[in-house]
Amino acid sequence: MLRKWNVTLVVSAFLLSIFGTFITRSGIISSVHSFAQSPVGMWFAAFLVVAMVVTAFLVSTRLSDLKSNAQLESMVSREAAFLYNNLVLVGIAFSVLWGTLFPIISEAVRGNKITVGPPFFNTVNIPLGLLLLLLTGIGPLIAWRRASVANLRRQFIVPVSVAITAGVLCFAFGVHNLAALLSYTFGAMVVATLVQEFYKGVGARHKMYGESRLIALPRLIARNRRRYGGYIVHLGIVVVFAAFAGLAFKREFDLTLKAGESKTVTDAWGHQWTFLSQGISRYKSLNREVTAIALDVARDGEPAGVITSEKRQHVDSRGAPTFEPSTEVGIKGSFALDVYVVLAGVRNVEDAEIRVSFNPLVRWVWLGGALMALGGLVVMWPQADRERVQSGYAAVLKPQHVPERVPDLVGV
Amino acid sequence: MTSPAQRTISRRNLLLSIPALGLGAAASPRRIRAAQVAVQTFNGPMADAGEVYRPVTLPRKPGAKASMTDAQRDDLEHHIHCQCGCNLDVYTCRTTDFACSVSPAMHSDVMGLVAGGHSAQEILDAFTSVYGERVLMAPVRSGFNLLGYTVPFLALGTGAVVVAALMRRWKRTAVVAPAPTPAIHATEGELAALDAALKQDR
């Protein structure tokens, strides 16, 4: 199913990555990555054209090999859910492309330069992202081929109940940002869906083979890697969305500290952080002049280590400054939040101006990425070459043993 | 579903492909890369304030008090584009790239306007009248710009219509295949267990 579409997506992803590099490196759009005075843009443009021509030729000459018997019995089926998910993902990719190119289009049409920054992308992509998250939760709940009302009711009751409970709890505990609230509500639904899927699969193996549930879980994944690897990817997506929604709890403070002075601020989780300045230090290193501040940090009165932040002015062999000064951010990270300290400036020789940011759930972005990579690996990992007619068992039962309703023996 | 026989990548091939990709990257033409590095120039961030900064002022309102809190002012600065070339908003630029001389100057204009009793919209309008629309971090939602905000959703809607039409066509052409009668690779014991499970679940 959808072979041509899959190949089109693969080709588009490759060509768009080259196109993105081309428009930034060539200086067509303003970017810190542009090298406008170099010919690199022309190289990318030429490569882009060659890649488009070659891929168009390769795909068009192999179209007959990509024919598939696309059959769909119902618009409420898991096959259809794949399509809906696909549509939203492509929609998100398109909105990023559109937002990136819109300043060029606007300048061409109106002659006005405009900026399309984070507020635009947040306006357009947050609703699409939430829709994607919701579909991630819904897709696995719908039966293959055709879903009945009874099937939908049975599958949805637990995840929807969990989602509503999570939403109410989040609101009660102070999550009033709508996007964050919906993220956690839909995320809870996806997690409940995944737990339900694994629970049913493990339960089916437990019943059929008498395996303990601990043994049944890895075997369940190993026997149907594409399905359960996909579920691990879904879990990674939830973790990443939870991390993004954590931005709603970001707290920032501007502090001015003399040597020996301390100030206390509170993070989004209610913990009090005290920053005690050890003073400003200035020194020359091998290739740079450094202005640094060291801060003794305490969390709820307990020592939490030292954070340093530096301003570095790199110099050439004659001691002349090269480019602009750079800032080394002091970071103290945990799974709850990252504390960022930026030395913003020094006034009156001794007064350090620092910016303290509490960025919640930053590490969850990495964790979500790792889970998605792990899920991808599980999906890709080749099966041992053994004859398998189909996943699970098919059995012909004697008429007297055929039940009126066949229970879901999923992914066994 | 792809049957194991149709798969072309074995575990061994997958593992071998990882170092092969690394070797491929290492073998890319170094001369071209070296040539590019040699001619690249730093382009963009940190224009001097003297080149790009333009004062934004408005007459102080009679009996004016500060029109917003510091937090609201910081939030407003998230919507004003620093003109140094960094692509950041004024707030982010002045609090992270402290070598920039443009964002502090724009920040002091914002503070002056806030102290003068001007509202957030009046301040944004004042900046737009001096720098043009590019000083806003997102285009104003009017006129041609509406296209920017609506096209992604229109495209998604169009895609949904196309997908619905395709699915309807596939549904029409779908042939309900008779249930296959696959070869059963199960022992008598396993069949009995399945049978018992089905009965128990009834």
Side-chain angles (χ1 to χ4, degrees):
Chain A
M1 193 176 172
L2 299 176
R3 284 183 191 168
K4 285 177 197 166
W5 177 239
N6 280 333
V7 169
T8 308
L9 285 180
V10 170
V11 167
S12 303
F14 175 70
L15 292 177
L16 283 172
S17 66
I18 302 297
F19 180 70
T21 315
F22 161 65
I23 58 174
T24 50
R25 302 286 177 179
S26 64
I28 287 178
I29 61 166
S30 174
S31 165
V32 290
H33 302 294
S34 60
F35 303 132
Q37 293 173 31
S38 87
V40 72
M42 292 306 296
W43 282 88
F44 273 112
F47 180 65
L48 186 64
V49 171
V50 171
M52 282 169 74
V53 170
V54 171
T55 49
F57 171 77
L58 288 174
V59 173
S60 62
T61 53
R62 286 158 175 77
L63 273 181
S64 57
D65 295 338
L66 297 173
K67 266 188 185 163
S68 61
N69 296 322
Q71 291 189 345
L72 199 76
E73 288 183 33
S74 167
M75 288 194 182
V76 187
S77 61
R78 196 171 298 185
E79 293 89 335
F82 275 128
L83 282 178
Y84 304 141
N85 233 313
N86 225 287
L87 179 67
V88 177
L89 278 169
V90 172
I92 291 172
F94 174 77
S95 70
V96 172
L97 176 67
W98 176 250
T100 307
L101 296 181
F102 193 66
I104 303 169
I105 297 168
S106 175
E107 193 172 357
V109 174
R110 298 164 65 210
N112 264 7
K113 279 190 178 178
I114 59 164
T115 305
V116 175
F120 172 88
F121 290 103
N122 286 339
T123 303
V124 174
N125 276 344
I126 285 178
L128 295 178
L130 289 172
L131 182 60
L132 179 71
L133 186 60
L134 181 63
L135 287 174
T136 307
I138 290 174
L141 296 175
I142 305 176
W144 293 101
R145 298 179 71 179
R146 180 185 293 274
S148 66
V149 175
N151 163 265
L152 290 176
R153 193 183 302 132
R154 199 170 57 245
Q155 289 281 80
F156 274 82
I157 185 97
V158 172
V160 169
S161 306
V162 169
I164 292 170
T165 310
V168 170
L169 283 176
C170 283
F171 189 81
F173 281 101
V175 183
H176 296 151
N177 178 295
L178 182 64
L181 185 64
L182 289 175
S183 278
Y184 290 123
T185 304
F186 295 163
M189 181 178 171
V190 180
V191 172
T193 298
L194 298 178
V195 171
Q196 180 174 284
E197 287 291 295
F198 277 100
Y199 179 79
K200 281 188 174 179
V202 167
R205 283 194 74 86
H206 175 66
K207 272 186 185 174
M208 284 188 67
Y209 303 116
E211 293 171 346
S212 76
R213 290 178 195 275
L214 272 178
I215 300 289
L217 179 64
R219 286 190 179 165
L220 178 76
I221 297 170
R223 289 294 164 90
N224 202 342
R225 291 175 191 168
R226 282 192 281 184
R227 177 173 183 174
Y228 291 96
Y231 288 162
I232 296 172
V233 173
H234 283 193
L235 186 63
I237 288 173
V238 174
V239 172
V240 166
F241 269 82
F244 291 163
L247 198 64
F249 311 109
K250 182 175 179 172
R251 298 279 184 278
E252 291 180 309
F253 300 92
D254 291 318
L255 308 176
T256 303
L257 294 172
K258 294 179 190 301
E261 188 181 6
S262 72
K263 285 198 174 150
T264 301
V265 289
T266 308
D267 68 23
W269 316 126
H271 296 292
Q272 292 201 315
W273 294 78
T274 303
F275 297 90
L276 170 66
S277 171
Q278 294 180 351
I280 298 286
S281 56
R282 296 178 178 82
Y283 57 91
K284 285 187 179 178
S285 190
L286 180 64
N287 61 350
R288 59 185 182 267
E289 293 166 358
V290 179
T291 305
I293 184 168
L295 300 161
D296 276 332
V297 183
R299 179 175 172 270
D300 294 332
E302 294 293 319
V306 176
I307 294 182
T308 59
S309 176
E310 296 179 359
K311 173 194 174 188
R312 292 178 177 177
Q313 174 64 66
H314 289 267
V315 293
D316 61 19
S317 57
R318 291 168 296 180
T322 57
F323 301 126
E324 289 78 22
S326 61
T327 304
E328 287 296 305
V329 180
I331 302 175
K332 182 169 187 55
S334 71
F335 269 93
L337 54 77
D338 279 11
V339 182
Y340 281 43
V341 173
V342 177
L343 176 60
V346 178
R347 272 193 312 191
N348 307 326
V349 185
E350 276 300 313
D351 297 349
E353 292 180 338
I354 60 167
R355 160 151 294 267
V356 177
S357 304
F358 296 108
N359 298 314
L361 310 181
V362 173
R363 290 195 179 180
W364 287 40
V365 178
W366 295 100
L367 176 65
L371 279 171
M372 285 195 268
L374 175 68
L377 200 61
V378 170
V379 170
M380 286 195 305
W381 200 257
Q383 297 264 2
D385 287 340
R386 60 170 174 248
E387 192 187 350
R388 292 180 70 218
V389 176
Q390 61 185 64
S391 55
Y393 279 98
V396 179
L397 300 174
K398 291 174 183 172
Q400 66 267 29
H401 290 157
V402 176
E404 289 169 10
R405 181 181 67 79
V406 178
D408 297 325
L409 290 172
V410 285
V412 292
Chain B
M1 288 275 178
T2 312
S3 70
Q6 287 174 288
R7 290 197 186 93
T8 53
I9 299 178
S10 65
R11 287 175 181 165
R12 175 184 293 236
N13 286 342
L14 181 76
L15 287 172
L16 286 176
S17 69
I18 294 167
L21 284 173
L23 286 174
S28 62
R30 290 185 177 184
R31 283 175 59 191
I32 291 177
R33 279 188 290 168
Q36 287 170 1
V37 170
V39 292
Q40 75 184 41
T41 56
F42 194 76
N43 170 60
M46 307 308 172
D48 191 62
E51 298 165 16
V52 293
Y53 168 69
R54 295 181 222 161
V56 178
T57 54
L58 285 174
R60 194 180 169 84
K61 288 185 177 175
K65 286 193 294 188
S67 59
M68 58 186 82
T69 62
D70 286 356
Q72 288 169 326
R73 182 204 61 211
D74 291 346
D75 187 49
L76 174 66
E77 288 184 355
H78 278 305
H79 293 86
I80 302 173
H81 189 201
C82 177
Q83 298 297 304
C84 76
C86 63
N87 271 343
L88 300 171
D89 58 74
V90 168
Y91 175 83
T92 308
C93 185
R94 77 177 169 83
T95 55
T96 51
D97 256 331
F98 68 110
C100 174
S101 56
V102 181
S103 55
M106 295 177 79
H107 168 62
S108 86
D109 283 349
V110 173
M111 288 208 298
L113 293 168
V114 168
H118 297 282
S119 68
Q121 192 55 54
E122 287 169 339
I123 293 170
L124 290 178
D125 291 343
F127 270 90
T128 309
S129 66
V130 171
Y131 289 102
E133 211 177 320
R134 70 172 194 272
V135 80
L136 303 176
M137 286 302 288
V140 183
R141 294 181 201 191
S142 63
F144 182 77
N145 292 340
L146 281 176
L147 215 58
Y149 287 97
T150 52
V151 161
F153 296 101
L154 288 174
L156 190 68
T158 309
V161 170
V162 170
V163 166
L166 273 175
M167 290 202 306
R168 198 161 291 172
R169 202 171 78 186
W170 292 340
K171 204 177 149 188
R172 270 203 306 271
T173 57
V175 179
V176 180
T181 50
I184 300 165
H185 295 262
T187 63
E188 284 297 322
E190 285 172 330
L191 284 175
L194 174 61
D195 198 12
L198 288 172
K199 274 194 281 187
Q200 193 183 345
D201 222 42
R202 200 183 311 188

